[in-house]
Amino acid sequence: MGKELSFQLLDISYEISNNKPIIMLWGRDRYNKRVTLTYSSFRPYFYLLLDEKADEEKIIKSIYKYSKQKSPILGVESLTLNYLGKPKKVLKITTTIPESVREYRETLSRIEGVKDVLEADIRFSMRFLLDKNLYPMRWYKANVNPIDKNPFIVDELYEINGDIVEDQEMVNVNPLEGLRIMAFDIEVYNPRRTPDPSRDPIIMISIRHSNEKDPIVLEAIGHDDSSLIQEFVELIKKEDPDIIVGYNQNKFDWPYLIERAKKHGIRLDVGRKNPSPPNMSVFGHYSIQGRLNVDLYDFAEELQEIKFKSLVEVSDYLGVMPKDKRVNIEWWQISEYWDDLQKRPTLKRYSMDDVNSTIGLAFKFLPFGAQLSIISGLPMDQVMAASVAFRLEARLMREAKKKGELMPNRTERQTETYVGGVVLKPHPGIHENVAVLDFASMYPSIMVKYNVGPDTIIEGEGGDCKNIYTAPEVNQKFCGDTPGFMKQVLQRFLRWRKEIKERMKSYEEGTSEYNLLNERQRAIKVLANASYGYLGWAAARWYCRGCAEAITAWGRDLIRRSIAYAKSIGLKVYYGDTDSLFVSNDEQKIQKVIDFVSKEMEFEIKIDKVYKRIFFTEAKKRYAGLLSDGRIDIVGFEAARGDWSELSKEVQTSIAKIVLRTGDPKRAVEYVKEVIDNLKNRKIGIDKLIVWKTLTKDISKYEAETPHTNVAKIMERMGYKVSPGNKIGYVIIKGPGSISKKARPYFTVGISDIDDNYYIDKQIIPAALRILGYFGITEKELKTGTRQPSLFDFFGSS
DNA sequence: ATCTATCGGGG
DNA sequence: GTGTACGATAGAT
């Protein structure tokens, strides 16, 4: 009876029905029909770790005494399982309702002879995925029976009988092929700058479907967004997307929509089972039943190459939407563009550009996200919201389960510090033609080579271990007799990645097969590279501070020896940080270093990039370089943040560009003088002089006097309501007293009121000197002397 | 010199 | 976990 169904697992949830949990797997079949598969015989369980000489019979009897009627204890099984490499006696307790596990954990832990409760902190859905060895985004086969009465918003509902096995035919099929993706973005009315969902309506929602060329823009009617929200919900129901993407929607769009919907009494049924509002879930993400809500900002956070990760910047950087080809509106001008009917079409185009950027980013990022799900076992809506340590831990839990190892509990610990990587003092100044050598996966390689892990670390004397590795400096020891848990996992990753890279060779670069394999090997690399940080993370189940300390010690040793060798053959070393070396780009000598590292030390180092021109300051982790393709890397010059004026941000990036492109800091000095002149001549608009700061608490609760609290008070006197979370925009005007006393709401003053000296001394000069200071240029030089007008046009800024 | 407050995304 | 933690910096005192 029944039939075999091949399905792709997208998401999992469960519900309680007749006092029993029912697992629901959300996915689609080979005909691209959306399916829900239920599994009703799975029950929650956990383990009791017993004392060596505990009286098992007696313990079992008292366990049953604690059984509660609302969730009876269904079974107690006596087992011997490995715990951190050593066999232990445990009792497996099976119960009925997942939520009762927490309570049983408390009560049963008090029984005499029970040393610890294990695996009681694993969520029920994850427990199921772990036990059945299921990875979201992969394809499986199961024997199923159709269920006629289908209350879900899917094509078919089935009940699973028996086993679920991976569908080998689908392993190399693009997991996103045929899935419906919907991007959305809301615009909010914000006349008081910081929108308040209890007051300010949503004015536009832009939506773009992956298979359609043009976005749909829903608009509010005046200041009434009730029909807009209703239409949005209807549109989701109609288009029925599998994946919903946005940019920072977990922190902004969803919470805002939820508040607005609540205010209007609208049910936000956007999932595949009613009622199904977006639900706050793990890792700060909103989960939507039956769909994957993926926040693309989580992917952007991984781009270390760019400092500002706004939708506009990220889309520009990745070539999804060039900054100069889109409508740019300052966030604080949104309401003005809505109220002015002349300007409203521009706002509409802005909103469309946003959602087009969002879907563009989805095409760039999701193939990687899908592979990360396939490798880590976390659903795609969670995997990117989770930190790298959680992603690795998800995989480690599966590896432990496969080996029959008990998982350590997550416990609260104090963070203990230890010495990190080597950071050399840079050679300040401008250097031409500099190569960056990177150790390939330095820390994972160390872990494999020296069998580092929580189950191989030797506390005290070595006992009967024959093959001991001792880390330099820190004196941590590891037993090398049998491969430990971490080493086994890492070796599996390494072998897997090698095999994938081998297979990639048989495909043309850029083909879909090649891209799929490439994203998969990247996902494996990300998990492998998280392993060191994971061991040093106090909240980790397999936390091992001694391991982390030993890994960095071996790393320091490696890089020091490489530096010494490079210098011994006459290669100039400009800078080095943890696992990278900046050296003069002398190909022959670099090859010798590469050979030395691979032959003498058995590690791999390779050229990561070559800078045509680079400048270091004497500060560590701070440099800017010009790559051969004209791109510029700016690392560590972080003054230009959101709480600086536009003007100072502009000055700083222009200076880095001028210095790197011309190699002459003097030309940047001329540029700064131009800017100062323009400011004095009132040629710079007030918009560029606004400084924005957020009120984090009630004004009365501030101990210190600050510009933005003073301005908030002024605004309050003017009749504005200011509250925590509001962004206060201010400018500094001429007059006596402290800066705070001279701060005014930007919309209350004219350009002639502006205190140019403040902007020169506190905004332009510090931003400029952050870079130019390292070339011996002083404040005085920037403020005096002649200027050459032509230079201001270098970057055409105004 | 010390203390308090803010940045990161979104609108 | 119904997300922090972190390192850097400005301004007041």
Side-chain angles (χ1 to χ4, degrees), chain A residues 78-186:
Chain A
S78 174
L79 299 162
T80 302
L81 291 171
N82 270 354
Y83 185 47
L84 292 177
K86 295 183 185 71
K88 300 278 178 189
K89 285 198 80 159
V90 292
L91 295 175
K92 179 180 173 181
I93 316 290
T94 306
T95 180
T96 319
I97 305 291
E99 285 72 26
S100 70
V101 169
R102 184 196 288 259
E103 200 183 315
Y104 280 130
R105 179 189 190 167
E106 289 304 310
T107 51
L108 302 189
S109 68
R110 289 198 289 264
I111 296 175
E112 203 186 309
V114 173
K115 213 154 106 185
D116 208 351
V117 183
L118 294 174
E119 303 194 12
D121 57 352
I122 297 167
R123 292 165 57 241
F124 187 57
S125 298
M126 185 46 69
R127 180 83 264 175
F128 183 80
L129 294 180
L130 275 169
D131 282 45
K132 304 293 173 192
N133 199 26
L134 305 181
Y135 289 73
M137 300 313 281
R138 295 195 198 195
W139 287 80
Y140 293 94
K141 286 192 293 193
N143 191 280
V144 298
N145 281 328
I147 297 172
D148 292 334
K149 202 167 153 270
N150 178 1
F152 304 134
I153 306 163
V154 290
D155 301 315
E156 308 285 351
L157 174 63
Y158 298 104
E159 186 176 21
I160 299 180
N161 316 304
D163 292 341
I164 307 167
V165 294
E166 185 154 16
D167 187 344
Q168 294 300 331
E169 280 178 39
M170 304 299 278
V171 168
N172 291 312
V173 170
N174 174 7
L176 297 171
E177 186 67 47
L179 289 180
R180 293 190 289 262
I181 306 169
M182 187 197 94
F184 82 107
D185 181 48
I186 70 171

Side-chain angles (χ1 to χ4, degrees), chain A residues 259-452:
Chain A
E259 272 291 302
R260 294 302 296 170
K262 203 169 103 191
K263 194 178 162 73
H264 293 301
I266 298 169
R267 277 177 33 174
L268 218 49
D269 285 333
V270 292
R272 281 178 165 154
K273 176 183 173 290
N274 287 331
S276 58
N279 203 10
M280 223 338 164
S281 177
V282 289
F283 314 127
H285 98 289
Y286 279 86
S287 84
I288 295 172
Q289 276 239 85
R291 307 188 204 279
L292 298 169
N293 171 50
V294 180
D295 190 337
L296 300 171
Y297 172 63
D298 293 330
F299 291 83
E301 275 198 310
E302 312 229 318
L303 301 169
Q304 327 80 327
E305 310 93 289
I306 47 172
K307 167 77 183 136
F308 293 103
K309 285 138 176 120
S310 61
L311 176 60
V312 172
E313 293 293 334
V314 170
S315 307
D316 182 72
Y317 175 76
L318 294 173
V320 164
M321 168 97 49
K323 234 191 284 190
D324 54 9
K325 294 249 163 59
R326 59 158 294 156
V327 175
N328 291 293
I329 297 177
E330 292 292 346
W331 60 271
W332 45 274
Q333 292 171 328
I334 300 272
S335 54
E336 188 185 316
Y337 275 76
W338 175 254
D339 287 334
D340 184 340
L341 292 177
Q342 302 283 308
K343 288 183 172 174
R344 203 182 277 188
T346 310
L347 180 64
K348 196 168 161 178
R349 281 194 290 128
Y350 165 85
S351 185
M352 291 197 287
D353 283 343
D354 271 1
V355 82
N356 284 332
S357 302
T358 307
I359 199 83
L361 289 182
F363 293 141
K364 287 261 178 202
F365 289 143
L366 291 184
F368 175 69
Q371 293 303 325
L372 209 47
S373 264
I374 282 174
I375 305 297
S376 70
L378 288 172
M380 195 167 63
D381 57 345
Q382 290 178 29
V383 73
M384 290 312 298
S387 67
V388 288
F390 273 109
R391 295 175 202 164
L392 176 63
E393 186 159 87
R395 178 75 199 206
L396 292 178
M397 288 164 76
R398 281 154 189 281
E399 298 284 347
K401 176 74 200 167
K402 244 191 311 195
K403 283 187 68 186
E405 284 263 348
L406 288 161
M407 301 166 211
N409 283 328
R410 157 147 301 148
T411 47
E412 283 197 28
R413 304 183 188 92
Q414 287 285 338
T415 344
E416 301 163 281
T417 54
Y418 51 88
V419 187
V422 168
V423 187
L424 294 187
K425 241 182 100 183
H427 284 215
I430 302 182
H431 309 288
E432 310 281 329
N433 204 18
V434 172
V436 185
L437 301 183
D438 257 359
F439 273 90
S441 304
M442 182 200 251
Y443 287 162
S445 308
I446 288 172
M447 292 168 69
V448 169
K449 187 166 180 183
Y450 301 113
N451 203 22
V452 177

Side-chain angles (χ1 to χ4, degrees), chain A residues 142-269:
Chain A
N143 191 280
V144 298
N145 281 328
I147 297 172
D148 292 334
K149 202 167 153 270
N150 178 1
F152 304 134
I153 306 163
V154 290
D155 301 315
E156 308 285 351
L157 174 63
Y158 298 104
E159 186 176 21
I160 299 180
N161 316 304
D163 292 341
I164 307 167
V165 294
E166 185 154 16
D167 187 344
Q168 294 300 331
E169 280 178 39
M170 304 299 278
V171 168
N172 291 312
V173 170
N174 174 7
L176 297 171
E177 186 67 47
L179 289 180
R180 293 190 289 262
I181 306 169
M182 187 197 94
F184 82 107
D185 181 48
I186 70 171
E187 308 302 331
V188 165
Y189 191 63
N190 60 347
R192 297 181 217 190
R193 307 307 167 238
T194 307
D196 174 355
S198 71
R199 176 188 67 214
D200 301 318
I202 296 166
I203 46 184
M204 281 181 189
I205 302 181
S206 292
I207 291 136
R208 167 89 188 268
H209 297 285
S210 51
N211 54 352
E212 279 162 33
K213 243 181 106 251
D214 297 309
I216 299 162
V217 184
L218 307 173
E219 294 182 45
I221 298 160
H223 292 171
D224 180 2
D225 56 3
S226 55
S227 59
L228 164 71
I229 295 168
Q230 202 77 256
E231 283 173 71
F232 178 61
V233 174
E234 290 311 313
L235 208 62
I236 292 178
K237 281 185 184 158
K238 184 172 141 251
E239 299 287 342
D240 191 27
D242 303 296
I243 304 173
I244 297 177
V245 297
Y247 200 82
N248 205 27
Q249 84 268 35
N250 279 334
K251 289 212 185 84
F252 185 74
D253 302 51
W254 284 125
Y256 209 97
L257 271 160
I258 289 165
E259 272 291 302
R260 294 302 296 170
K262 203 169 103 191
K263 194 178 162 73
H264 293 301
I266 298 169
R267 277 177 33 174
L268 218 49
D269 285 333

Side-chain angles (χ1 to χ4, degrees), chain A residues 106 128 135 185 210 315 318 324 362 407 434 450 471 484 519 567 575 585 618 623 628 673 682 684 730 762 797:
Chain A
E106 289 304 310
F128 183 80
Y135 289 73
D185 181 48
S210 51
S315 307
L318 294 173
D324 54 9
M407 301 166 211
V434 172
Y450 301 113
E519 299 295 355
K567 284 183 175 166
Y575 180 59
N585 189 21
E618 70 258 25
Y623 60 89
S628 37
K673 287 180 183 169
R682 312 281 175 219
I684 292 175
Y730 63 87
K762 302 288 183 178
S797 34

